[in-house]
Amino acid sequence: DAGITQSPRHKVTETGTPVTLRCHQTENHRYMYWYRQDPGHGLRLIHYSYGVKDTDKGEVSDGYSVSRSKTEDFLLTLESATSSQTSVYFCAIRPPGPSSEQYFGPGTRLTVT
Amino acid sequence: GQSLEQPSEVTAVEGAIVQINCTYQTSGFYGLSWYQQHDGGAPTFLSYNALDGLEETGRFSSFLSRSDSYGYLLLQELQMKDSASYFCAVSGGYQKVTFGTGTKLQVIP
């Protein structure tokens, strides 16, 4: 299994509070991704990174920011959590090459009350 | 932009063969992937097609027709453990991958 972990695995927070989710990889891959998964929507890309300090927006980036100061860590921050951000968040890494093969972390279930 | 369509649910009998279709519209296309996700778990990569034709990996095969913007995942000798959601995904480049909304496969005895 690819070495990718996420923390925390579960979190309950209140509306308006900041939340940071962490993704850590031991594979030294360049590309890292944050997705959210909601019923009926599949996996939707929030932000991705193509190197240290190199990030870009995905299709549902509003309300989220990311940072990547080290190859192995990719942080997702909700500056002021809202109930619409209740979701399961997955981090993924992508090996080099043309294939779109991605390895996913175990996910973080976030509930915003 | 990119969009994908796949059936929301499919039911099949243990031991049978099932085909899950995926049609896509994309402004740039590198390949079509398939992922499996069991309830409560993370998606896991199954296959990738960049060229037209059939790719076989054990009981699973994946097909791509670039001219028809169409692909499918074929599962043979279905087992109960194959009950899961299956997602197709298009790669429009090295960075972005767009996923379909998933097909929930139920395998019944």
Side-chain angles (χ1 to χ4, degrees):
Chain A
D1 289 344
I4 178 169
T5 57
Q6 294 182 231
S7 60
R9 295 293 314 280
H10 302 271
K11 186 169 182 66
V12 179
T13 191
E14 293 185 349
T15 298
T17 59
V19 176
T20 295
L21 308 183
R22 180 182 184 237
C23 178
H24 179 79
Q25 63 150 332
T26 59
E27 306 297 318
N28 203 37
H29 289 329
R30 180 180 173 194
Y31 293 100
M32 299 185 74
Y33 305 80
W34 275 108
Y35 295 91
R36 62 177 290 175
Q37 186 173 37
D38 306 287
H41 289 279
L43 288 152
R44 292 183 292 174
L45 182 65
I46 305 171
H47 281 279
Y48 65 97
S49 171
Y50 46 96
V52 173
K53 291 186 169 58
D54 291 323
T55 65
D56 205 350
K57 297 179 179 179
E59 60 179 301
V60 290
S61 60
D62 287 348
Y64 302 95
S65 62
V66 290
S67 66
R68 192 164 178 204
S69 59
K70 298 185 289 185
T71 299
E72 58 265 36
D73 290 326
F74 192 31
L75 304 181
L76 177 70
T77 297
L78 291 67
E79 300 292 345
S80 178
T82 67
S83 59
S84 64
Q85 294 176 312
T86 292
S87 187
V88 179
Y89 291 86
F90 286 102
C91 176
I93 58 176
R94 179 173 177 171
S99 166
S100 65
E101 177 178 2
Q102 295 186 7
Y103 296 105
F104 285 80
T108 295
R109 184 173 294 276
L110 176 68
T111 302
V112 183
T113 61
Chain B
Q2 295 168 314
S3 66
L4 300 94
E5 286 191 18
Q6 53 181 130
S8 57
E9 294 181 355
V10 173
T11 299
V13 178
E14 188 177 17
I17 299 172
V18 71
Q19 178 174 312
I20 299 174
N21 298 321
C22 176
T23 58
Y24 60 87
Q25 290 183 315
T26 178
S27 55
F29 180 82
Y30 277 66
L32 184 71
S33 301
W34 289 92
Y35 289 78
Q36 179 191 61
Q37 184 180 30
H38 288 99
D39 285 347
T44 57
F45 174 80
L46 292 176
S47 67
Y48 174 74
N49 294 67
L51 303 175
D52 286 356
L54 191 68
E55 296 278 346
E56 298 182 54
T57 307
R59 294 187 297 113
F60 293 3
S61 303
S62 56
F63 172 83
L64 175 66
S65 169
R66 295 173 68 112
S67 60
D68 295 323
S69 298
Y70 163 76
Y72 65 73
L73 180 69
L74 191 73
L75 294 79
Q76 303 182 69
E77 300 173 14
L78 279 173
Q79 301 176 8
M80 298 301 292
K81 68 178 182 180
D82 297 329
S83 293
S85 292
Y86 293 84
F87 296 87
C88 59
V90 293
S91 173
Y94 276 76
Q95 295 92 346
K96 293 186 179 180
V97 175
T98 301
F99 286 81
T101 54
T103 298
K104 190 172 181 67
L105 171 64
Q106 182 182 12
V107 180
I108 58 176

